[in-house]
Amino acid sequence: MIHPIRAILLAVLAGMAFITIDTVLANTERRETALEAARLGNEGQRLMSEGKFDDAIESFRAAIANQRENPEYTLELGRALRTAGHLNEAESTLEDLLRTNAMDGAANLALARVFVKQGQFESAAFYYHRAIYGQWNASGAAQHRMQVRFELADLLVKRNQKQELLAELLPLQTEAPADLATQQKLADLFLTAGSPVRAEEIYRAQVRLHPADAALRQGLNLTDQILRLDPMRPELSEQERYQRSIHILQMVTDRASACQPPSDLLQELPAHTPEENLAQARQFWHVVKQNCPSTISESDKPLELVLAASSQ
């Protein structure tokens, strides 16, 4: 007859053995499903690279079924749905992911891109900003944030939202790396945003470092022309502003005359303020662009940029 204490000990040991076996089996199963999920995820990425988007979507769905706790597969599914044009489903998939971690940088960026494709630009800008200030892997966080801000800047250029563009560029001026390609892109964007002074500073600094670069010298020459032409520079006297605005009005009137616009338009006299002269010049320039755009050449770019900036 087994002693009661010994019987208890044997039962405890048996129970511990079963628990250990269950744990080992559970861990083995988790490893196997994780490996299968990874295989399916890799397969989905391969199918994406081959342009087989619907097949990739099914692979990512299967990866999620094997390892639901891994958010990377849901993110990849959202990206695949967007690429395949299933925008509503991509939106709901990524929104579900963000309910778990609202500040996930990559998920916010993916959702911003969905809204861009949907034409919902205000929503896109909101999620771009969430991506900029969101959470990224520490090793590449600064690079990701800079890339997102440049992507948003490119969107604002396409939408001709110059004030919003300038607001995005100001942080980049201090955060962007000093390599030539990045600095030249930043200068070009400042010029597009109607800030030739900041563009000129960057071009001039880069020309000192890369004196043989033709594109930089061209950019510097363009900004110099703009700054010599611009009547709204704050350091100018009222008389200088007026004279420059008259000069611009005359330049545009000469081009408008060649287009034979309505005679009453050209008979208007210069107004009394630089702002009114510029408004009239913009009206004439609109005539030129509508009636004879072929007469506009690359040499007119400084004039066009000054007129565009004066309308902000």
Short mmCIF file of all heavy atoms in Angstrom, two decimals, residues 191 196-197 200 203-204 217-231 233 236 244 247-248 251 255 297-307:
data_model
loop_
_atom_site.label_atom_id
_atom_site.label_comp_id
_atom_site.label_asym_id
_atom_site.label_seq_id
_atom_site.Cartn_x
_atom_site.Cartn_y
_atom_site.Cartn_z
N LEU A 191 11.08 77.41 -53.22
CA LEU A 191 10.80 78.29 -54.35
C LEU A 191 9.35 78.12 -54.79
O LEU A 191 8.64 79.11 -55.03
CB LEU A 191 11.75 77.96 -55.50
CG LEU A 191 11.87 78.98 -56.62
CD1 LEU A 191 12.27 80.35 -56.08
CD2 LEU A 191 12.88 78.51 -57.65
N PRO A 196 11.37 82.62 -51.99
CA PRO A 196 12.65 82.64 -52.71
C PRO A 196 13.84 82.97 -51.82
O PRO A 196 14.96 82.57 -52.12
CB PRO A 196 12.45 83.71 -53.78
CG PRO A 196 11.35 84.58 -53.26
CD PRO A 196 10.46 83.67 -52.48
N VAL A 197 13.60 83.70 -50.73
CA VAL A 197 14.71 84.06 -49.83
C VAL A 197 15.30 82.80 -49.21
O VAL A 197 16.54 82.61 -49.20
CB VAL A 197 14.24 85.03 -48.73
CG1 VAL A 197 15.34 85.25 -47.70
CG2 VAL A 197 13.83 86.36 -49.35
N GLU A 200 17.03 80.76 -51.89
CA GLU A 200 18.31 81.37 -52.27
C GLU A 200 19.40 81.05 -51.26
O GLU A 200 20.55 80.76 -51.64
CB GLU A 200 18.13 82.89 -52.40
CG GLU A 200 19.26 83.59 -53.10
CD GLU A 200 20.28 84.18 -52.15
OE1 GLU A 200 20.02 84.15 -50.92
OE2 GLU A 200 21.32 84.66 -52.63
N TYR A 203 20.41 77.39 -52.00
CA TYR A 203 21.16 77.30 -53.26
C TYR A 203 22.57 77.87 -53.10
O TYR A 203 23.55 77.27 -53.55
CB TYR A 203 20.43 78.07 -54.36
CG TYR A 203 19.24 77.38 -54.95
CD1 TYR A 203 18.03 78.05 -55.11
CD2 TYR A 203 19.30 76.04 -55.37
CE1 TYR A 203 16.92 77.43 -55.67
CE2 TYR A 203 18.19 75.42 -55.93
CZ TYR A 203 17.00 76.12 -56.07
OH TYR A 203 15.91 75.49 -56.61
N ARG A 204 22.67 79.04 -52.47
CA ARG A 204 23.97 79.69 -52.35
C ARG A 204 24.93 78.84 -51.50
O ARG A 204 26.11 78.69 -51.85
CB ARG A 204 23.81 81.09 -51.74
CG ARG A 204 25.06 81.96 -51.88
CD ARG A 204 24.76 83.40 -51.49
NE ARG A 204 23.79 84.02 -52.36
CZ ARG A 204 24.07 84.48 -53.58
NH1 ARG A 204 25.30 84.36 -54.06
NH2 ARG A 204 23.14 85.05 -54.31
N ARG A 217 23.39 76.12 -59.88
CA ARG A 217 23.63 77.47 -60.39
C ARG A 217 22.40 78.02 -61.09
O ARG A 217 22.07 79.20 -60.99
CB ARG A 217 24.83 77.47 -61.35
CG ARG A 217 26.16 77.26 -60.62
CD ARG A 217 27.34 77.60 -61.51
NE ARG A 217 28.56 77.67 -60.72
CZ ARG A 217 28.95 78.72 -60.02
NH1 ARG A 217 28.20 79.82 -60.00
NH2 ARG A 217 30.07 78.71 -59.34
N GLN A 218 21.67 77.15 -61.79
CA GLN A 218 20.43 77.56 -62.43
C GLN A 218 19.40 77.98 -61.39
O GLN A 218 18.70 78.99 -61.56
CB GLN A 218 19.90 76.42 -63.29
CG GLN A 218 18.66 76.79 -64.09
CD GLN A 218 18.18 75.64 -64.97
OE1 GLN A 218 18.68 74.52 -64.86
NE2 GLN A 218 17.23 75.90 -65.81
N GLY A 219 19.29 77.20 -60.30
CA GLY A 219 18.36 77.54 -59.23
C GLY A 219 18.72 78.85 -58.57
O GLY A 219 17.86 79.68 -58.27
N LEU A 220 20.02 79.06 -58.32
CA LEU A 220 20.48 80.30 -57.70
C LEU A 220 20.20 81.49 -58.61
O LEU A 220 19.75 82.55 -58.15
CB LEU A 220 21.97 80.21 -57.38
CG LEU A 220 22.60 81.42 -56.70
CD1 LEU A 220 21.90 81.73 -55.38
CD2 LEU A 220 24.09 81.19 -56.48
N ASN A 221 20.44 81.32 -59.91
CA ASN A 221 20.17 82.40 -60.86
C ASN A 221 18.68 82.76 -60.88
O ASN A 221 18.30 83.93 -60.92
CB ASN A 221 20.63 81.99 -62.25
CG ASN A 221 20.41 83.06 -63.28
OD1 ASN A 221 20.85 84.21 -63.13
ND2 ASN A 221 19.71 82.72 -64.34
N LEU A 222 17.83 81.72 -60.83
CA LEU A 222 16.39 81.95 -60.84
C LEU A 222 15.94 82.72 -59.60
O LEU A 222 15.17 83.69 -59.70
CB LEU A 222 15.66 80.61 -60.94
CG LEU A 222 14.13 80.65 -60.88
CD1 LEU A 222 13.56 81.50 -62.01
CD2 LEU A 222 13.56 79.23 -60.94
N THR A 223 16.42 82.31 -58.44
CA THR A 223 16.01 83.01 -57.21
C THR A 223 16.54 84.45 -57.20
O THR A 223 15.83 85.36 -56.74
CB THR A 223 16.52 82.27 -55.96
OG1 THR A 223 17.93 82.08 -56.05
CG2 THR A 223 15.84 80.93 -55.81
N ASP A 224 17.73 84.67 -57.74
CA ASP A 224 18.26 86.04 -57.80
C ASP A 224 17.36 86.92 -58.68
O ASP A 224 17.09 88.08 -58.33
CB ASP A 224 19.69 86.04 -58.36
CG ASP A 224 20.70 85.57 -57.33
OD1 ASP A 224 20.36 85.52 -56.13
OD2 ASP A 224 21.84 85.23 -57.73
N GLN A 225 16.91 86.37 -59.80
CA GLN A 225 16.01 87.13 -60.68
C GLN A 225 14.70 87.46 -59.98
O GLN A 225 14.17 88.57 -60.10
CB GLN A 225 15.74 86.34 -61.96
CG GLN A 225 16.93 86.20 -62.89
CD GLN A 225 16.55 85.43 -64.14
OE1 GLN A 225 15.73 85.89 -64.94
NE2 GLN A 225 17.13 84.25 -64.31
N ILE A 226 14.17 86.48 -59.26
CA ILE A 226 12.91 86.68 -58.54
C ILE A 226 13.07 87.78 -57.49
O ILE A 226 12.23 88.69 -57.38
CB ILE A 226 12.44 85.37 -57.88
CG1 ILE A 226 12.02 84.37 -58.96
CG2 ILE A 226 11.29 85.62 -56.91
CD1 ILE A 226 11.77 82.98 -58.43
N LEU A 227 14.15 87.72 -56.74
CA LEU A 227 14.36 88.70 -55.67
C LEU A 227 14.59 90.10 -56.22
O LEU A 227 14.22 91.09 -55.58
CB LEU A 227 15.54 88.26 -54.79
CG LEU A 227 15.30 86.98 -53.98
CD1 LEU A 227 16.57 86.54 -53.28
CD2 LEU A 227 14.18 87.19 -52.96
N ARG A 228 15.18 90.22 -57.41
CA ARG A 228 15.36 91.54 -58.04
C ARG A 228 14.05 92.08 -58.59
O ARG A 228 13.88 93.29 -58.74
CB ARG A 228 16.39 91.46 -59.16
CG ARG A 228 17.83 91.30 -58.69
CD ARG A 228 18.82 91.64 -59.80
NE ARG A 228 18.66 90.77 -60.96
CZ ARG A 228 19.31 89.62 -61.11
NH1 ARG A 228 20.16 89.19 -60.18
NH2 ARG A 228 19.12 88.89 -62.19
N LEU A 229 13.11 91.17 -58.89
CA LEU A 229 11.84 91.56 -59.50
C LEU A 229 10.73 91.77 -58.47
O LEU A 229 9.86 92.63 -58.66
CB LEU A 229 11.43 90.47 -60.48
CG LEU A 229 10.28 90.72 -61.44
CD1 LEU A 229 10.59 91.87 -62.38
CD2 LEU A 229 9.97 89.45 -62.23
N ASP A 230 10.77 91.02 -57.39
CA ASP A 230 9.67 90.98 -56.41
C ASP A 230 9.43 92.34 -55.76
O ASP A 230 10.30 92.88 -55.07
CB ASP A 230 10.01 89.95 -55.33
CG ASP A 230 8.86 89.73 -54.35
OD1 ASP A 230 7.78 90.32 -54.54
OD2 ASP A 230 9.06 88.96 -53.39
N PRO A 231 8.23 92.92 -55.93
CA PRO A 231 7.95 94.23 -55.32
C PRO A 231 7.48 94.16 -53.87
O PRO A 231 7.33 95.20 -53.22
CB PRO A 231 6.83 94.77 -56.21
CG PRO A 231 6.10 93.56 -56.66
CD PRO A 231 7.13 92.47 -56.79
N ARG A 233 8.98 92.55 -51.29
CA ARG A 233 9.99 92.25 -50.28
C ARG A 233 9.90 93.28 -49.15
O ARG A 233 9.82 94.49 -49.41
CB ARG A 233 11.38 92.26 -50.92
CG ARG A 233 11.58 91.15 -51.92
CD ARG A 233 12.96 91.18 -52.53
NE ARG A 233 13.99 90.96 -51.51
CZ ARG A 233 15.29 90.95 -51.77
NH1 ARG A 233 15.72 91.15 -53.01
NH2 ARG A 233 16.16 90.74 -50.81
N LEU A 236 11.96 96.74 -48.88
CA LEU A 236 11.85 97.80 -49.89
C LEU A 236 11.03 98.98 -49.37
O LEU A 236 10.10 98.81 -48.58
CB LEU A 236 11.18 97.25 -51.15
CG LEU A 236 11.90 96.13 -51.90
CD1 LEU A 236 11.05 95.67 -53.09
CD2 LEU A 236 13.27 96.56 -52.35
N ARG A 244 8.65 98.77 -58.86
CA ARG A 244 8.75 97.37 -59.28
C ARG A 244 7.39 96.85 -59.77
O ARG A 244 7.33 96.08 -60.74
CB ARG A 244 9.26 96.51 -58.14
CG ARG A 244 10.74 96.68 -57.83
CD ARG A 244 11.22 95.57 -56.91
NE ARG A 244 12.63 95.70 -56.59
CZ ARG A 244 13.38 94.74 -56.06
NH1 ARG A 244 12.83 93.55 -55.80
NH2 ARG A 244 14.65 94.92 -55.80
N HIS A 247 6.83 98.08 -63.22
CA HIS A 247 7.68 97.33 -64.15
C HIS A 247 7.06 95.98 -64.48
O HIS A 247 7.01 95.57 -65.66
CB HIS A 247 9.07 97.15 -63.53
CG HIS A 247 9.99 96.30 -64.34
ND1 HIS A 247 10.33 96.61 -65.65
CD2 HIS A 247 10.65 95.15 -64.04
CE1 HIS A 247 11.15 95.69 -66.12
NE2 HIS A 247 11.36 94.79 -65.18
N ILE A 248 6.55 95.29 -63.48
CA ILE A 248 5.90 93.99 -63.71
C ILE A 248 4.65 94.17 -64.56
O ILE A 248 4.41 93.40 -65.50
CB ILE A 248 5.56 93.32 -62.36
CG1 ILE A 248 6.83 92.82 -61.69
CG2 ILE A 248 4.58 92.17 -62.56
CD1 ILE A 248 6.63 92.27 -60.30
N MET A 251 5.67 94.64 -68.11
CA MET A 251 6.14 93.38 -68.71
C MET A 251 4.95 92.52 -69.15
O MET A 251 4.93 91.98 -70.28
CB MET A 251 6.98 92.61 -67.70
CG MET A 251 8.34 93.21 -67.39
SD MET A 251 9.15 92.32 -66.03
CE MET A 251 9.48 90.73 -66.82
N ARG A 255 3.27 91.48 -73.10
CA ARG A 255 2.96 90.12 -73.55
C ARG A 255 1.48 89.98 -73.90
O ARG A 255 1.12 89.31 -74.86
CB ARG A 255 3.36 89.11 -72.48
CG ARG A 255 4.88 88.90 -72.39
CD ARG A 255 5.27 88.27 -71.07
NE ARG A 255 6.69 87.99 -71.00
CZ ARG A 255 7.62 88.91 -70.79
NH1 ARG A 255 7.28 90.18 -70.66
NH2 ARG A 255 8.89 88.57 -70.73
N SER A 297 7.85 81.61 -72.25
CA SER A 297 9.10 80.86 -72.34
C SER A 297 9.69 80.65 -70.95
O SER A 297 9.18 81.16 -69.94
CB SER A 297 10.10 81.61 -73.22
OG SER A 297 10.50 82.82 -72.59
N GLU A 298 10.80 79.91 -70.90
CA GLU A 298 11.49 79.65 -69.64
C GLU A 298 11.96 80.95 -68.99
O GLU A 298 12.01 81.05 -67.76
CB GLU A 298 12.67 78.72 -69.88
CG GLU A 298 13.38 78.25 -68.63
CD GLU A 298 12.52 77.36 -67.74
OE1 GLU A 298 11.55 76.76 -68.26
OE2 GLU A 298 12.82 77.26 -66.53
N SER A 299 12.26 81.95 -69.81
CA SER A 299 12.72 83.23 -69.25
C SER A 299 11.62 83.97 -68.49
O SER A 299 11.91 84.91 -67.75
CB SER A 299 13.25 84.13 -70.38
OG SER A 299 12.20 84.45 -71.29
N ASP A 300 10.36 83.56 -68.69
CA ASP A 300 9.25 84.18 -67.98
C ASP A 300 9.00 83.55 -66.61
O ASP A 300 8.10 84.00 -65.88
CB ASP A 300 7.96 84.08 -68.80
CG ASP A 300 8.01 84.92 -70.06
OD1 ASP A 300 8.45 86.08 -69.97
OD2 ASP A 300 7.62 84.40 -71.13
N LYS A 301 9.75 82.52 -66.26
CA LYS A 301 9.50 81.81 -65.01
C LYS A 301 9.62 82.72 -63.79
O LYS A 301 8.76 82.66 -62.89
CB LYS A 301 10.43 80.61 -64.88
CG LYS A 301 10.05 79.68 -63.73
CD LYS A 301 10.83 78.39 -63.76
CE LYS A 301 10.37 77.44 -62.66
NZ LYS A 301 11.12 76.16 -62.69
N PRO A 302 10.64 83.58 -63.68
CA PRO A 302 10.70 84.48 -62.51
C PRO A 302 9.45 85.34 -62.40
O PRO A 302 8.91 85.53 -61.31
CB PRO A 302 11.95 85.32 -62.78
CG PRO A 302 12.78 84.49 -63.69
CD PRO A 302 11.83 83.74 -64.55
N LEU A 303 8.99 85.89 -63.54
CA LEU A 303 7.79 86.72 -63.54
C LEU A 303 6.58 85.93 -63.07
O LEU A 303 5.80 86.40 -62.22
CB LEU A 303 7.55 87.26 -64.94
CG LEU A 303 6.24 88.03 -65.18
CD1 LEU A 303 6.18 89.27 -64.30
CD2 LEU A 303 6.10 88.39 -66.65
N GLU A 304 6.42 84.72 -63.59
CA GLU A 304 5.25 83.91 -63.22
C GLU A 304 5.28 83.55 -61.74
O GLU A 304 4.24 83.59 -61.06
CB GLU A 304 5.20 82.65 -64.07
CG GLU A 304 3.95 81.81 -63.82
CD GLU A 304 3.69 80.81 -64.93
OE1 GLU A 304 4.63 80.47 -65.65
OE2 GLU A 304 2.53 80.37 -65.05
N LEU A 305 6.45 83.24 -61.20
CA LEU A 305 6.55 82.89 -59.79
C LEU A 305 6.27 84.09 -58.89
O LEU A 305 5.63 83.95 -57.83
CB LEU A 305 7.93 82.31 -59.50
CG LEU A 305 8.18 80.89 -60.03
CD1 LEU A 305 9.66 80.50 -59.90
CD2 LEU A 305 7.31 79.88 -59.31
N VAL A 306 6.71 85.27 -59.31
CA VAL A 306 6.43 86.48 -58.52
C VAL A 306 4.93 86.76 -58.52
O VAL A 306 4.34 87.08 -57.47
CB VAL A 306 7.21 87.69 -59.07
CG1 VAL A 306 6.69 88.99 -58.47
CG2 VAL A 306 8.69 87.54 -58.78
N LEU A 307 4.29 86.62 -59.68
CA LEU A 307 2.84 86.85 -59.75
C LEU A 307 2.08 85.83 -58.91
O LEU A 307 1.11 86.18 -58.22
CB LEU A 307 2.39 86.77 -61.20
CG LEU A 307 2.83 87.94 -62.10
CD1 LEU A 307 2.47 87.66 -63.55
CD2 LEU A 307 2.18 89.24 -61.64
#
